[in-house]
Amino acid sequence: MNPSIGLALGSGGARGFAHLGVLKALTDNDIAIDYIAGSSMGALVGAFYASGQGIDSLYQLARTFRRKYFLDFTLPNMGFLQGERIKEYIHLFTFKKNLEQFDIPVGVTATNLYDGSKKVFTEGNAAEAVRASISIPGIFVPVNIGGQLFVDGGVVDRVPVSVAKQLGADLVIGVDCAHFEMNTDIESIYDVIIQSIDIMQDELVNASGPQADILLKPNVSAYSSRAFKDIEAIVDEGEREALRKLPEIIRSIEDWKEKRDEIQ
């Protein structure tokens, strides 16, 4: 009996497309994914995959994804972007499913703006939950769900390893695409907000560290988290990192099976 494998896909903006390369490497090598937990961009990629989108379809989506798909500007009250366009995009590419209808159980993380708590969505409207998880503070208008306002899940949990464990995973593979690197290419309020969040999240992770059984850190720091370009190169880095860590993943699976046999 193999352990159940959970994939914790972290935030990272455009760099989060590296998650797609990780998924490809794992599926190509018959590493079954039993649970997916996602924050921000990790929630978006994870939801698409868990809803039933194939790797080839996701690669095509990644190649054609452009920022213009979610540019629906509004008067800047609680955010510059209304977020309805990206919500409709998510709704379409998750086959209009609720989370509980997905092929793979998913936990989508978001941050409760009122009390600062982490919310994990495992059922209900998938597009609404993912839209909440990707709601970069100050950029997207927060999402009102059940009378509460929600913003980006990466604010409180950049790589939601604990969520994957709560879903039932025996082993968790974490994927961190958002590690901060110095960047002087800051020219707009959007750049300021994203850079500030990257710094904050990096400090949080450095203080506690994602407690994954195997942690993947695709080498995507050379690529912008804000501009959706170089997507194929970003995806390739995710695949390369997963293949590099594949022996460790297989060893962890075998170690788990040996320990289980000893207990029995």
PDB file of all heavy atoms in Angstrom, residues 67-95:
ATOM      1  N   ARG A  67      -2.341  38.744 -18.954  1.00  0.00           N
ATOM      2  CA  ARG A  67      -2.876  39.565 -17.880  1.00  0.00           C
ATOM      3  C   ARG A  67      -4.174  40.261 -18.292  1.00  0.00           C
ATOM      4  O   ARG A  67      -5.023  40.548 -17.448  1.00  0.00           O
ATOM      5  CB  ARG A  67      -1.830  40.591 -17.434  1.00  0.00           C
ATOM      6  CG  ARG A  67      -2.153  41.251 -16.110  1.00  0.00           C
ATOM      7  CD  ARG A  67      -0.934  41.833 -15.441  1.00  0.00           C
ATOM      8  NE  ARG A  67      -0.249  42.829 -16.251  1.00  0.00           N
ATOM      9  CZ  ARG A  67       0.853  43.461 -15.854  1.00  0.00           C
ATOM     10  NH1 ARG A  67       1.382  43.185 -14.680  1.00  0.00           N
ATOM     11  NH2 ARG A  67       1.430  44.352 -16.640  1.00  0.00           N
ATOM     12  N   LYS A  68      -4.347  40.498 -19.585  1.00  0.00           N
ATOM     13  CA  LYS A  68      -5.556  41.179 -20.059  1.00  0.00           C
ATOM     14  C   LYS A  68      -6.825  40.384 -19.739  1.00  0.00           C
ATOM     15  O   LYS A  68      -7.922  40.942 -19.730  1.00  0.00           O
ATOM     16  CB  LYS A  68      -5.471  41.419 -21.564  1.00  0.00           C
ATOM     17  CG  LYS A  68      -5.445  40.158 -22.405  1.00  0.00           C
ATOM     18  CD  LYS A  68      -5.297  40.478 -23.892  1.00  0.00           C
ATOM     19  CE  LYS A  68      -5.266  39.217 -24.747  1.00  0.00           C
ATOM     20  NZ  LYS A  68      -5.091  39.530 -26.181  1.00  0.00           N
ATOM     21  N   TYR A  69      -6.665  39.066 -19.465  1.00  0.00           N
ATOM     22  CA  TYR A  69      -7.828  38.255 -19.154  1.00  0.00           C
ATOM     23  C   TYR A  69      -8.510  38.674 -17.861  1.00  0.00           C
ATOM     24  O   TYR A  69      -9.672  38.346 -17.648  1.00  0.00           O
ATOM     25  CB  TYR A  69      -7.435  36.767 -19.061  1.00  0.00           C
ATOM     26  CG  TYR A  69      -7.014  36.148 -20.368  1.00  0.00           C
ATOM     27  CD1 TYR A  69      -6.184  35.039 -20.401  1.00  0.00           C
ATOM     28  CD2 TYR A  69      -7.448  36.665 -21.592  1.00  0.00           C
ATOM     29  CE1 TYR A  69      -5.782  34.469 -21.606  1.00  0.00           C
ATOM     30  CE2 TYR A  69      -7.061  36.104 -22.788  1.00  0.00           C
ATOM     31  CZ  TYR A  69      -6.225  34.999 -22.793  1.00  0.00           C
ATOM     32  OH  TYR A  69      -5.845  34.438 -23.979  1.00  0.00           O
ATOM     33  N   PHE A  70      -7.772  39.328 -16.963  1.00  0.00           N
ATOM     34  CA  PHE A  70      -8.420  39.711 -15.704  1.00  0.00           C
ATOM     35  C   PHE A  70      -8.380  41.214 -15.450  1.00  0.00           C
ATOM     36  O   PHE A  70      -8.622  41.669 -14.336  1.00  0.00           O
ATOM     37  CB  PHE A  70      -7.805  38.953 -14.519  1.00  0.00           C
ATOM     38  CG  PHE A  70      -6.317  39.082 -14.356  1.00  0.00           C
ATOM     39  CD1 PHE A  70      -5.774  40.183 -13.723  1.00  0.00           C
ATOM     40  CD2 PHE A  70      -5.472  38.076 -14.802  1.00  0.00           C
ATOM     41  CE1 PHE A  70      -4.407  40.292 -13.559  1.00  0.00           C
ATOM     42  CE2 PHE A  70      -4.106  38.174 -14.627  1.00  0.00           C
ATOM     43  CZ  PHE A  70      -3.571  39.288 -14.000  1.00  0.00           C
ATOM     44  N   LEU A  71      -8.119  42.014 -16.479  1.00  0.00           N
ATOM     45  CA  LEU A  71      -8.079  43.459 -16.302  1.00  0.00           C
ATOM     46  C   LEU A  71      -9.484  44.048 -16.456  1.00  0.00           C
ATOM     47  O   LEU A  71      -9.894  44.481 -17.538  1.00  0.00           O
ATOM     48  CB  LEU A  71      -7.118  44.088 -17.307  1.00  0.00           C
ATOM     49  CG  LEU A  71      -5.636  43.777 -17.107  1.00  0.00           C
ATOM     50  CD1 LEU A  71      -4.783  44.485 -18.145  1.00  0.00           C
ATOM     51  CD2 LEU A  71      -5.183  44.162 -15.699  1.00  0.00           C
ATOM     52  N   ASP A  72     -10.267  44.032 -15.376  1.00  0.00           N
ATOM     53  CA  ASP A  72     -11.566  44.702 -15.357  1.00  0.00           C
ATOM     54  C   ASP A  72     -11.525  45.771 -14.266  1.00  0.00           C
ATOM     55  O   ASP A  72     -11.900  45.546 -13.135  1.00  0.00           O
ATOM     56  CB  ASP A  72     -12.718  43.716 -15.141  1.00  0.00           C
ATOM     57  CG  ASP A  72     -12.523  42.795 -13.946  1.00  0.00           C
ATOM     58  OD1 ASP A  72     -11.453  42.854 -13.296  1.00  0.00           O
ATOM     59  OD2 ASP A  72     -13.448  42.026 -13.640  1.00  0.00           O
ATOM     60  N   PHE A  73     -11.000  46.924 -14.652  1.00  0.00           N
ATOM     61  CA  PHE A  73     -10.754  47.993 -13.696  1.00  0.00           C
ATOM     62  C   PHE A  73     -12.057  48.531 -13.115  1.00  0.00           C
ATOM     63  O   PHE A  73     -13.099  48.562 -13.776  1.00  0.00           O
ATOM     64  CB  PHE A  73      -9.982  49.142 -14.362  1.00  0.00           C
ATOM     65  CG  PHE A  73      -8.559  48.796 -14.687  1.00  0.00           C
ATOM     66  CD1 PHE A  73      -8.191  48.454 -15.985  1.00  0.00           C
ATOM     67  CD2 PHE A  73      -7.595  48.801 -13.699  1.00  0.00           C
ATOM     68  CE1 PHE A  73      -6.877  48.130 -16.289  1.00  0.00           C
ATOM     69  CE2 PHE A  73      -6.276  48.477 -13.997  1.00  0.00           C
ATOM     70  CZ  PHE A  73      -5.918  48.141 -15.291  1.00  0.00           C
ATOM     71  N   THR A  74     -11.965  48.954 -11.855  1.00  0.00           N
ATOM     72  CA  THR A  74     -13.084  49.571 -11.166  1.00  0.00           C
ATOM     73  C   THR A  74     -12.564  50.793 -10.429  1.00  0.00           C
ATOM     74  O   THR A  74     -11.348  50.990 -10.312  1.00  0.00           O
ATOM     75  CB  THR A  74     -13.735  48.575 -10.179  1.00  0.00           C
ATOM     76  OG1 THR A  74     -14.890  49.178  -9.580  1.00  0.00           O
ATOM     77  CG2 THR A  74     -12.766  48.165  -9.073  1.00  0.00           C
ATOM     78  N   LEU A  75     -13.462  51.626  -9.942  1.00  0.00           N
ATOM     79  CA  LEU A  75     -13.026  52.758  -9.129  1.00  0.00           C
ATOM     80  C   LEU A  75     -12.291  52.231  -7.912  1.00  0.00           C
ATOM     81  O   LEU A  75     -12.802  51.338  -7.216  1.00  0.00           O
ATOM     82  CB  LEU A  75     -14.233  53.609  -8.708  1.00  0.00           C
ATOM     83  CG  LEU A  75     -14.920  54.405  -9.826  1.00  0.00           C
ATOM     84  CD1 LEU A  75     -16.167  55.101  -9.290  1.00  0.00           C
ATOM     85  CD2 LEU A  75     -13.962  55.425 -10.437  1.00  0.00           C
ATOM     86  N   PRO A  76     -11.071  52.722  -7.635  1.00  0.00           N
ATOM     87  CA  PRO A  76     -10.249  52.142  -6.563  1.00  0.00           C
ATOM     88  C   PRO A  76     -10.783  52.428  -5.165  1.00  0.00           C
ATOM     89  O   PRO A  76     -10.358  53.356  -4.490  1.00  0.00           O
ATOM     90  CB  PRO A  76      -8.884  52.798  -6.791  1.00  0.00           C
ATOM     91  CG  PRO A  76      -9.197  54.084  -7.475  1.00  0.00           C
ATOM     92  CD  PRO A  76     -10.391  53.826  -8.324  1.00  0.00           C
ATOM     93  N   ASN A  77     -11.734  51.594  -4.750  1.00  0.00           N
ATOM     94  CA  ASN A  77     -12.261  51.659  -3.389  1.00  0.00           C
ATOM     95  C   ASN A  77     -11.500  50.659  -2.521  1.00  0.00           C
ATOM     96  O   ASN A  77     -10.656  51.016  -1.722  1.00  0.00           O
ATOM     97  CB  ASN A  77     -13.759  51.376  -3.404  1.00  0.00           C
ATOM     98  CG  ASN A  77     -14.394  51.496  -2.023  1.00  0.00           C
ATOM     99  OD1 ASN A  77     -13.744  51.949  -1.078  1.00  0.00           O
ATOM    100  ND2 ASN A  77     -15.640  51.096  -1.913  1.00  0.00           N
ATOM    101  N   MET A  78     -11.748  49.358  -2.765  1.00  0.00           N
ATOM    102  CA  MET A  78     -11.007  48.318  -2.042  1.00  0.00           C
ATOM    103  C   MET A  78     -10.054  47.555  -2.956  1.00  0.00           C
ATOM    104  O   MET A  78      -9.414  46.601  -2.536  1.00  0.00           O
ATOM    105  CB  MET A  78     -11.969  47.358  -1.345  1.00  0.00           C
ATOM    106  CG  MET A  78     -12.698  47.969  -0.166  1.00  0.00           C
ATOM    107  SD  MET A  78     -13.527  46.733   0.866  1.00  0.00           S
ATOM    108  CE  MET A  78     -14.862  46.234  -0.209  1.00  0.00           C
ATOM    109  N   GLY A  79      -9.944  47.969  -4.187  1.00  0.00           N
ATOM    110  CA  GLY A  79      -9.048  47.326  -5.134  1.00  0.00           C
ATOM    111  C   GLY A  79      -9.226  47.928  -6.511  1.00  0.00           C
ATOM    112  O   GLY A  79     -10.260  48.542  -6.800  1.00  0.00           O
ATOM    113  N   PHE A  80      -8.223  47.763  -7.369  1.00  0.00           N
ATOM    114  CA  PHE A  80      -8.272  48.313  -8.721  1.00  0.00           C
ATOM    115  C   PHE A  80      -9.043  47.417  -9.681  1.00  0.00           C
ATOM    116  O   PHE A  80      -9.584  47.893 -10.669  1.00  0.00           O
ATOM    117  CB  PHE A  80      -6.851  48.520  -9.255  1.00  0.00           C
ATOM    118  CG  PHE A  80      -6.129  49.666  -8.617  1.00  0.00           C
ATOM    119  CD1 PHE A  80      -5.238  49.450  -7.571  1.00  0.00           C
ATOM    120  CD2 PHE A  80      -6.325  50.965  -9.057  1.00  0.00           C
ATOM    121  CE1 PHE A  80      -4.565  50.500  -6.979  1.00  0.00           C
ATOM    122  CE2 PHE A  80      -5.657  52.034  -8.471  1.00  0.00           C
ATOM    123  CZ  PHE A  80      -4.777  51.800  -7.427  1.00  0.00           C
ATOM    124  N   LEU A  81      -9.032  46.104  -9.418  1.00  0.00           N
ATOM    125  CA  LEU A  81      -9.667  45.156 -10.335  1.00  0.00           C
ATOM    126  C   LEU A  81     -10.891  44.527  -9.672  1.00  0.00           C
ATOM    127  O   LEU A  81     -10.816  44.049  -8.533  1.00  0.00           O
ATOM    128  CB  LEU A  81      -8.680  44.062 -10.737  1.00  0.00           C
ATOM    129  CG  LEU A  81      -7.404  44.522 -11.452  1.00  0.00           C
ATOM    130  CD1 LEU A  81      -6.513  43.329 -11.762  1.00  0.00           C
ATOM    131  CD2 LEU A  81      -7.735  45.285 -12.725  1.00  0.00           C
ATOM    132  N   GLN A  82     -11.997  44.508 -10.403  1.00  0.00           N
ATOM    133  CA  GLN A  82     -13.238  43.941  -9.871  1.00  0.00           C
ATOM    134  C   GLN A  82     -13.114  42.430  -9.682  1.00  0.00           C
ATOM    135  O   GLN A  82     -13.670  41.857  -8.759  1.00  0.00           O
ATOM    136  CB  GLN A  82     -14.401  44.261 -10.817  1.00  0.00           C
ATOM    137  CG  GLN A  82     -15.772  43.934 -10.255  1.00  0.00           C
ATOM    138  CD  GLN A  82     -16.113  44.780  -9.037  1.00  0.00           C
ATOM    139  OE1 GLN A  82     -15.804  45.959  -8.995  1.00  0.00           O
ATOM    140  NE2 GLN A  82     -16.724  44.157  -8.043  1.00  0.00           N
ATOM    141  N   GLY A  83     -12.419  41.773 -10.606  1.00  0.00           N
ATOM    142  CA  GLY A  83     -12.177  40.335 -10.467  1.00  0.00           C
ATOM    143  C   GLY A  83     -13.225  39.441 -11.080  1.00  0.00           C
ATOM    144  O   GLY A  83     -13.126  38.213 -10.982  1.00  0.00           O
ATOM    145  N   GLU A  84     -14.221  40.025 -11.741  1.00  0.00           N
ATOM    146  CA  GLU A  84     -15.264  39.195 -12.337  1.00  0.00           C
ATOM    147  C   GLU A  84     -14.765  38.456 -13.578  1.00  0.00           C
ATOM    148  O   GLU A  84     -15.195  37.335 -13.855  1.00  0.00           O
ATOM    149  CB  GLU A  84     -16.484  40.050 -12.678  1.00  0.00           C
ATOM    150  CG  GLU A  84     -17.252  40.521 -11.451  1.00  0.00           C
ATOM    151  CD  GLU A  84     -17.723  39.380 -10.576  1.00  0.00           C
ATOM    152  OE1 GLU A  84     -18.313  38.418 -11.120  1.00  0.00           O
ATOM    153  OE2 GLU A  84     -17.485  39.432  -9.358  1.00  0.00           O
ATOM    154  N   ARG A  85     -13.859  39.072 -14.321  1.00  0.00           N
ATOM    155  CA  ARG A  85     -13.357  38.424 -15.540  1.00  0.00           C
ATOM    156  C   ARG A  85     -12.540  37.183 -15.200  1.00  0.00           C
ATOM    157  O   ARG A  85     -12.706  36.134 -15.816  1.00  0.00           O
ATOM    158  CB  ARG A  85     -12.517  39.409 -16.354  1.00  0.00           C
ATOM    159  CG  ARG A  85     -13.335  40.535 -16.985  1.00  0.00           C
ATOM    160  CD  ARG A  85     -12.490  41.398 -17.896  1.00  0.00           C
ATOM    161  NE  ARG A  85     -12.072  40.679 -19.098  1.00  0.00           N
ATOM    162  CZ  ARG A  85     -11.331  41.218 -20.057  1.00  0.00           C
ATOM    163  NH1 ARG A  85     -10.916  42.476 -19.946  1.00  0.00           N
ATOM    164  NH2 ARG A  85     -10.990  40.519 -21.111  1.00  0.00           N
ATOM    165  N   ILE A  86     -11.651  37.286 -14.219  1.00  0.00           N
ATOM    166  CA  ILE A  86     -10.856  36.113 -13.851  1.00  0.00           C
ATOM    167  C   ILE A  86     -11.725  35.051 -13.190  1.00  0.00           C
ATOM    168  O   ILE A  86     -11.506  33.853 -13.368  1.00  0.00           O
ATOM    169  CB  ILE A  86      -9.661  36.507 -12.939  1.00  0.00           C
ATOM    170  CG1 ILE A  86      -8.710  35.327 -12.749  1.00  0.00           C
ATOM    171  CG2 ILE A  86     -10.141  37.029 -11.589  1.00  0.00           C
ATOM    172  CD1 ILE A  86      -8.006  34.868 -13.985  1.00  0.00           C
ATOM    173  N   LYS A  87     -12.756  35.476 -12.468  1.00  0.00           N
ATOM    174  CA  LYS A  87     -13.677  34.510 -11.851  1.00  0.00           C
ATOM    175  C   LYS A  87     -14.399  33.707 -12.925  1.00  0.00           C
ATOM    176  O   LYS A  87     -14.550  32.485 -12.812  1.00  0.00           O
ATOM    177  CB  LYS A  87     -14.680  35.247 -10.960  1.00  0.00           C
ATOM    178  CG  LYS A  87     -15.669  34.327 -10.248  1.00  0.00           C
ATOM    179  CD  LYS A  87     -16.611  35.126  -9.366  1.00  0.00           C
ATOM    180  CE  LYS A  87     -17.680  34.248  -8.761  1.00  0.00           C
ATOM    181  NZ  LYS A  87     -18.624  35.041  -7.920  1.00  0.00           N
ATOM    182  N   GLU A  88     -14.838  34.376 -13.981  1.00  0.00           N
ATOM    183  CA  GLU A  88     -15.516  33.682 -15.074  1.00  0.00           C
ATOM    184  C   GLU A  88     -14.548  32.744 -15.795  1.00  0.00           C
ATOM    185  O   GLU A  88     -14.925  31.634 -16.212  1.00  0.00           O
ATOM    186  CB  GLU A  88     -16.101  34.700 -16.051  1.00  0.00           C
ATOM    187  CG  GLU A  88     -17.008  34.088 -17.103  1.00  0.00           C
ATOM    188  CD  GLU A  88     -18.172  33.290 -16.523  1.00  0.00           C
ATOM    189  OE1 GLU A  88     -18.699  33.691 -15.469  1.00  0.00           O
ATOM    190  OE2 GLU A  88     -18.532  32.259 -17.124  1.00  0.00           O
ATOM    191  N   TYR A  89     -13.313  33.167 -15.938  1.00  0.00           N
ATOM    192  CA  TYR A  89     -12.262  32.338 -16.541  1.00  0.00           C
ATOM    193  C   TYR A  89     -12.066  31.058 -15.719  1.00  0.00           C
ATOM    194  O   TYR A  89     -11.992  29.951 -16.264  1.00  0.00           O
ATOM    195  CB  TYR A  89     -10.981  33.165 -16.595  1.00  0.00           C
ATOM    196  CG  TYR A  89      -9.789  32.515 -17.248  1.00  0.00           C
ATOM    197  CD1 TYR A  89      -9.621  32.564 -18.629  1.00  0.00           C
ATOM    198  CD2 TYR A  89      -8.796  31.891 -16.489  1.00  0.00           C
ATOM    199  CE1 TYR A  89      -8.511  31.999 -19.232  1.00  0.00           C
ATOM    200  CE2 TYR A  89      -7.686  31.323 -17.083  1.00  0.00           C
ATOM    201  CZ  TYR A  89      -7.551  31.375 -18.461  1.00  0.00           C
ATOM    202  OH  TYR A  89      -6.444  30.813 -19.048  1.00  0.00           O
ATOM    203  N   ILE A  90     -11.978  31.206 -14.403  1.00  0.00           N
ATOM    204  CA  ILE A  90     -11.821  30.045 -13.516  1.00  0.00           C
ATOM    205  C   ILE A  90     -13.042  29.141 -13.605  1.00  0.00           C
ATOM    206  O   ILE A  90     -12.917  27.905 -13.673  1.00  0.00           O
ATOM    207  CB  ILE A  90     -11.599  30.509 -12.062  1.00  0.00           C
ATOM    208  CG1 ILE A  90     -10.317  31.328 -11.948  1.00  0.00           C
ATOM    209  CG2 ILE A  90     -11.546  29.308 -11.114  1.00  0.00           C
ATOM    210  CD1 ILE A  90     -10.208  32.125 -10.661  1.00  0.00           C
ATOM    211  N   HIS A  91     -14.222  29.751 -13.596  1.00  0.00           N
ATOM    212  CA  HIS A  91     -15.480  28.990 -13.675  1.00  0.00           C
ATOM    213  C   HIS A  91     -15.497  28.112 -14.924  1.00  0.00           C
ATOM    214  O   HIS A  91     -15.861  26.927 -14.871  1.00  0.00           O
ATOM    215  CB  HIS A  91     -16.647  29.980 -13.685  1.00  0.00           C
ATOM    216  CG  HIS A  91     -18.000  29.346 -13.561  1.00  0.00           C
ATOM    217  ND1 HIS A  91     -18.347  28.515 -12.511  1.00  0.00           N
ATOM    218  CD2 HIS A  91     -19.104  29.427 -14.357  1.00  0.00           C
ATOM    219  CE1 HIS A  91     -19.595  28.108 -12.660  1.00  0.00           C
ATOM    220  NE2 HIS A  91     -20.069  28.645 -13.776  1.00  0.00           N
ATOM    221  N   LEU A  92     -15.064  28.689 -16.044  1.00  0.00           N
ATOM    222  CA  LEU A  92     -15.067  27.958 -17.307  1.00  0.00           C
ATOM    223  C   LEU A  92     -14.085  26.800 -17.289  1.00  0.00           C
ATOM    224  O   LEU A  92     -14.424  25.670 -17.688  1.00  0.00           O
ATOM    225  CB  LEU A  92     -14.719  28.929 -18.440  1.00  0.00           C
ATOM    226  CG  LEU A  92     -14.611  28.337 -19.851  1.00  0.00           C
ATOM    227  CD1 LEU A  92     -15.957  27.794 -20.307  1.00  0.00           C
ATOM    228  CD2 LEU A  92     -14.096  29.391 -20.831  1.00  0.00           C
ATOM    229  N   PHE A  93     -12.859  27.045 -16.802  1.00  0.00           N
ATOM    230  CA  PHE A  93     -11.813  26.030 -16.896  1.00  0.00           C
ATOM    231  C   PHE A  93     -11.781  25.062 -15.712  1.00  0.00           C
ATOM    232  O   PHE A  93     -10.911  24.195 -15.652  1.00  0.00           O
ATOM    233  CB  PHE A  93     -10.456  26.693 -17.117  1.00  0.00           C
ATOM    234  CG  PHE A  93     -10.317  27.277 -18.494  1.00  0.00           C
ATOM    235  CD1 PHE A  93     -10.378  28.643 -18.704  1.00  0.00           C
ATOM    236  CD2 PHE A  93     -10.187  26.452 -19.594  1.00  0.00           C
ATOM    237  CE1 PHE A  93     -10.280  29.177 -19.978  1.00  0.00           C
ATOM    238  CE2 PHE A  93     -10.092  26.971 -20.875  1.00  0.00           C
ATOM    239  CZ  PHE A  93     -10.136  28.341 -21.074  1.00  0.00           C
ATOM    240  N   THR A  94     -12.720  25.205 -14.796  1.00  0.00           N
ATOM    241  CA  THR A  94     -12.950  24.155 -13.788  1.00  0.00           C
ATOM    242  C   THR A  94     -14.279  23.454 -14.072  1.00  0.00           C
ATOM    243  O   THR A  94     -14.857  22.831 -13.197  1.00  0.00           O
ATOM    244  CB  THR A  94     -12.955  24.727 -12.359  1.00  0.00           C
ATOM    245  OG1 THR A  94     -13.889  25.816 -12.273  1.00  0.00           O
ATOM    246  CG2 THR A  94     -11.579  25.223 -11.948  1.00  0.00           C
ATOM    247  N   PHE A  95     -14.737  23.581 -15.333  1.00  0.00           N
ATOM    248  CA  PHE A  95     -15.938  22.894 -15.814  1.00  0.00           C
ATOM    249  C   PHE A  95     -17.188  23.257 -15.019  1.00  0.00           C
ATOM    250  O   PHE A  95     -18.098  22.438 -14.876  1.00  0.00           O
ATOM    251  CB  PHE A  95     -15.715  21.370 -15.795  1.00  0.00           C
ATOM    252  CG  PHE A  95     -14.503  20.917 -16.556  1.00  0.00           C
ATOM    253  CD1 PHE A  95     -13.352  20.523 -15.887  1.00  0.00           C
ATOM    254  CD2 PHE A  95     -14.504  20.903 -17.945  1.00  0.00           C
ATOM    255  CE1 PHE A  95     -12.222  20.112 -16.591  1.00  0.00           C
ATOM    256  CE2 PHE A  95     -13.385  20.485 -18.656  1.00  0.00           C
ATOM    257  CZ  PHE A  95     -12.240  20.093 -17.978  1.00  0.00           C
TER     258      PHE A  95
END
